[in-house]
Amino acid sequence: MRVVVVGAGIAGLTLAASLHRRGVPCEVFEQAAVLREVGAGIQIAPNASRLLERLGLAAHLATVGVQPAALEMHRWEDDRLIVRVPLGEECRRQFQAPYYTVHRADLHDGLRALVPTGHVHLGKRCVAVEEGPDTVRLQFADGSSTAADVVVGADGIHSVVRASLVADERQFSGQAIYRGVVPSSAVRFLQTEPRVVLWLGPDRHCVCYPVSGGRAVSVGATAPSARGASESWLATGDIAELMAGYADWCSEVRGLLTALDRVGRWSLYDRDPITRWSSQRITLVGDAAHPMLPFVAQGANQAIEDAVALSVLLAHSSAATVGEVLNRYAELRRCRTEEVQRISRRNSSALHVPNGDRRERRDAAIASSQAARERSWLYGFDAEHAALADVAGASRGSSMP
Ligand code: FAD
């Protein structure tokens, strides 16, 4: 079985690493000429960290990552604490896996090192996908092509592979996010204890957390945005424009944004959930399957779950056809990723309510919730075990008279 993955982001590399670990060789085709992940930090919750640790990244994450002691939400104007959710020890105790904040480039490097040399092909922008009864043919922008028994689209929100399965449009959220990294010496309030800190205000929010083993702090700040702006990871932002939107916020936020010397800016899009992820020989993982707004910090976590679940099914399933395996994978994943997409959209408005009664009710609800415990359906889930149980259940079923 020749498996070809389109896209070497977090989803594609995790899939390639997990397939190789299970003895299923695969080739990855990536449009970029140089493999690198840009942007700033990323939060890796226990539902993904346990999978990455099993893949062989435990030592790498412990070196490049930071385990925040807690997630805190504060009011925008006076920095008053709304809620503190313990993460560090609490996640290890409750979910038997750590919560990490890491720089995206560090995570990407770790994943890349798990894929055998020569299996990632750069400068290969896929432009067409043709599925036949026995094979799938991929065309690349440089005129070359390749054939595969199974094609997995890990090519993000603009997925060409997804477009071969379903015709749909991106949905614009009305918001952009500015992101950058500052030296940790510029953020004194994080030096006493590593934390994820959010400030919630009308129309926008700001978030920061330590990355790069604690040497730097990742900063993200949202702002209302006009339709049509770039959503590329490579678009740069105007710091003065960003600061103007936060001019009357508390000094902690203003100090954080002042420390930025360059920021990326991109508009935030997602897509509606789809019911059809797989055909007879094609399926999707990560943002190609379920692009979501970043307001639950789970897009990459879900991508990692997808990748590991798919690798288990491709390696171990006793289903009669590839199409059955791919459909089983989509069924196994769809409800969960749909729920995370839905909550991410809901948070898009809930995080940004104006001062007044609505905010008081929102803050009281947040403060009374035991967020980490309430997230056990999210953080406690083990996608690898779920896929192995599915395979075991299916093989018991197929051996019945
Ligand atoms: P991508 O990262 O988009 O990778 C796709 C890859 O495919 C790229 O390498 C691209 O070059 C390649 N590609 C695209 N088209 C082609 C083609 N035609 N041919 C060949 N190659 C192609 N998630 C979290 O879990 N935690 C967080 O804290 C978090 N924070 C976020 C903050 C922000 C501001 C944003 C925008 C997102 C955040 N996310 C977070 C979401 C997360 O970044 C994404 O869900 C994740 O990066 C998706 O990975 P992916 O590999 O599916 O797609």
Side-chain angles (χ1 to χ4, degrees):
M1 182 163 64
R2 180 164 196 254
V3 180
V4 162
V5 180
V6 180
I10 291 167
L13 289 179
T14 308
L15 177 61
S18 193
L19 282 171
H20 278 286
R21 180 166 169 258
R22 293 185 160 78
V24 181
C26 79
E27 305 283 314
V28 184
F29 290 81
E30 162 62 43
Q31 66 181 0
V34 178
L35 201 56
R36 68 192 165 114
E37 180 79 8
V38 289
I42 193 157
Q43 300 179 56
I44 298 297
N47 52 308
S49 70
R50 64 168 57 86
L51 306 178
L52 294 175
E53 289 194 339
R54 278 185 215 139
L55 267 182
L57 286 189
H60 181 70
L61 287 173
T63 307
V64 301
V66 175
Q67 295 188 44
L71 177 147
E72 290 181 357
M73 294 189 187
H74 294 241
R75 291 193 346 177
W76 67 279
E77 72 274 48
D78 56 9
D79 192 41
R80 193 203 291 174
L81 184 68
I82 303 168
V83 72
R84 179 180 156 99
V85 182
L87 290 178
E89 282 305 309
E90 185 63 19
C91 280
R92 284 201 171 275
R93 191 189 61 75
Q94 204 185 335
F95 307 118
Q96 293 78 51
Y99 197 106
Y100 273 116
T101 51
V102 294
H103 196 289
R104 303 179 83 96
D106 289 333
L107 174 59
H108 204 253
D109 287 350
L111 288 169
R112 175 69 187 85
L114 296 178
V115 182
T117 316
H119 288 259
V120 179
H121 308 279
L122 301 176
K124 293 288 179 186
R125 183 161 65 84
C126 178
V127 290
V129 182
E130 285 165 32
E131 183 173 9
D134 302 320
T135 188
V136 184
R137 180 153 289 279
L138 299 178
Q139 297 287 344
F140 299 103
D142 64 2
S144 63
S145 67
T146 194
D149 300 304
V150 178
V151 163
V152 184
D155 47 346
I157 189 167
H158 303 288
S159 174
V160 168
V161 181
R162 178 185 174 116
S164 76
L165 297 176
V166 60
D168 68 343
E169 295 292 324
R170 291 176 307 154
Q171 309 283 322
F172 181 53
S173 68
Q175 295 172 69
I177 188 157
Y178 295 76
R179 299 181 91 196
V181 177
V182 301
S184 56
S185 55
V187 191
R188 288 227 302 277
F189 57 83
L190 281 187
Q191 282 165 11
T192 44
E193 180 191 60
R195 281 163 292 152
V196 178
V197 184
L198 281 97
W199 294 267
L200 309 184
D203 298 331
R204 61 194 82 213
H205 76 271
C206 179
V207 58
C208 75
Y209 47 80
V211 294
S212 307
R215 292 184 306 284
V217 172
S218 173
V219 180
T222 70
S225 165
R227 182 171 284 276
S230 169
E231 80 285 15
S232 156
W233 289 103
L234 302 173
T236 55
D238 180 337
I239 293 183
E241 194 180 280
L242 166 66
M243 294 289 297
Y246 285 87
D248 50 356
W249 284 48
C250 61
S251 58
E252 287 77 6
V253 172
R254 283 185 285 112
L256 197 58
L257 301 184
T258 307
L260 289 163
D261 61 1
R262 61 179 297 276
V263 284
R265 177 195 186 282
W266 47 104
S267 299
L268 294 174
Y269 291 81
D270 67 359
R271 290 178 189 262
D272 289 335
I274 45 172
T275 50
R276 184 165 178 261
W277 270 16
S278 298
S279 65
Q280 290 308 303
R281 296 191 171 273
I282 300 173
T283 194
L284 307 171
V285 288
D287 278 10
H290 42 68
M292 57 184 73
L293 298 174
F295 302 140
V296 187
Q298 274 285 324
N301 287 267
Q302 293 303 309
I304 291 163
E305 287 190 8
D306 290 345
V308 171
L310 178 58
S311 70
V312 168
L313 292 181
L314 282 171
H316 302 299
S317 176
S318 57
T321 66
V322 171
E324 283 172 33
V325 177
L326 301 186
N327 274 320
R328 193 64 216 132
Y329 152 72
E331 283 309 305
L332 203 56
R333 296 294 305 148
R334 213 162 41 81
C335 286
R336 181 166 167 84
T337 56
E338 249 183 67
E339 179 67 358
V340 184
Q341 279 179 294
R342 194 183 61 74
I343 299 171
S344 302
R345 269 199 191 162
R346 192 185 66 201
N347 280 358
S348 170
S349 50
L351 290 176
H352 301 151
V353 297
N355 286 9
D357 286 351
R358 222 176 123 204
R359 176 174 89 163
E360 298 309 320
R361 284 197 303 276
R362 193 263 330 258
D363 288 357
I366 294 177
S368 66
S369 71
Q370 296 292 318
R373 203 165 308 148
E374 282 186 1
R375 287 191 176 185
S376 62
W377 69 273
L378 191 56
Y379 296 166
F381 185 71
D382 189 322
E384 185 169 14
H385 288 173
L388 285 166
D390 190 79
V391 168
S395 65
R396 270 199 303 279
S398 63
S399 65
M400 278 161 51

